[in-house]
Amino acid sequence: MENNSIFIEQLNTKQVDKVVDIENSSFKTPWPKQIFLAEIEKGKSFCRIALQEDIVAGYCISNLIFDELHIFKVAVHENHRRKGIAKYLLEDAFYFYKEKGAKNAILEVRVSNESAINLYKKIGFEALRVRKNYYQTTKEDALVMFINLDDYFQKFLSTT
Ligand SMILES: CC(C)(COP(=O)(O)OP(=O)(O)OC[C@H]1O[C@@H](n2cnc3c(N)ncnc32)[C@H](O)[C@@H]1OP(=O)(O)O)[C@@H](O)C(=O)NCCC(=O)NCCS
């Protein structure tokens, strides 16, 4: 996919170090490199990167569980934020998994993560429930958010 000089493509092992750099500067309990490599090797998750002028600016890892698209990770390098890259990465996963039968997309987000919650709300995600003490190291609660993909695409088509 391509949008205003942002390209989205499959993550491969050569780009993993760049993704790990973004991961380490974006999350309190980052995934180690081995998890990203295992996700690529297993080939079951949709592992995508956003490139801006050939630089890895962000990534998204997602998977289909029954008819639900689970967003495991989305992050954007701090120098590339507020350019629509995360929104674009999420839409890319929506397109890919809608074709494969996904009905909803679902994710967990720290209740303190205002920027991510704003992003998800802007796309149309709604809060479903709170999972108490979901994050083991910090004991923080998670907000579970979901979006119905038919609703998303109907809204999307009516505004384009
Ligand atoms: C959350 C994150 C992925 C957003 O990435 P991004 O590429 O900057 O997001 P986008 O540019 O696509 O933002 C789309 C909309 O989300 C909302 N948003 C994004 N970042 C925001 C912020 N810091 N404050 C308020 N609203 C924000 C805005 O509505 C924005 O639209 P606008 O720029 O037109 O106002 C990024 O800040 C990040 O990597 N954070 C650290 C990792 C993380 O928390 N990931 C989510 C884990 S659940």
Side-chain angles (χ1 to χ4, degrees), residues 86-147:
K87 186 168 177 282
Y88 191 38
L89 281 162
L90 291 167
E91 284 169 353
D92 174 62
F94 289 179
Y95 273 105
F96 182 75
Y97 281 117
K98 180 88 172 67
E99 288 288 303
K100 299 195 178 300
K103 295 205 168 26
N104 301 308
I106 192 156
L107 53 82
E108 284 101 15
V109 54
R110 285 176 188 274
V111 290
S112 65
N113 193 344
E114 280 180 37
S115 46
I117 292 172
N118 280 334
L119 161 72
Y120 301 136
K121 282 187 179 161
K122 177 156 189 176
I123 290 172
F125 278 86
E126 291 171 37
L128 194 59
R129 69 178 84 91
V130 171
R131 287 204 172 116
K132 298 298 279 178
N133 303 324
Y134 179 77
Y135 297 96
Q136 290 179 351
T137 28
T138 53
K139 301 278 177 249
E140 191 174 342
D141 297 344
L143 185 63
V144 181
M145 301 186 80
F146 89 106
I147 186 169

Side-chain angles (χ1 to χ4, degrees), residues 2-18:
E2 182 191 351
N3 177 16
N4 295 335
S5 80
I6 299 162
F7 291 86
I8 301 210
E9 61 179 41
Q10 241 12 48
L11 169 64
N12 65 49
T13 51
K14 286 185 196 146
Q15 299 138 331
V16 163
D17 285 336
K18 305 278 182 214

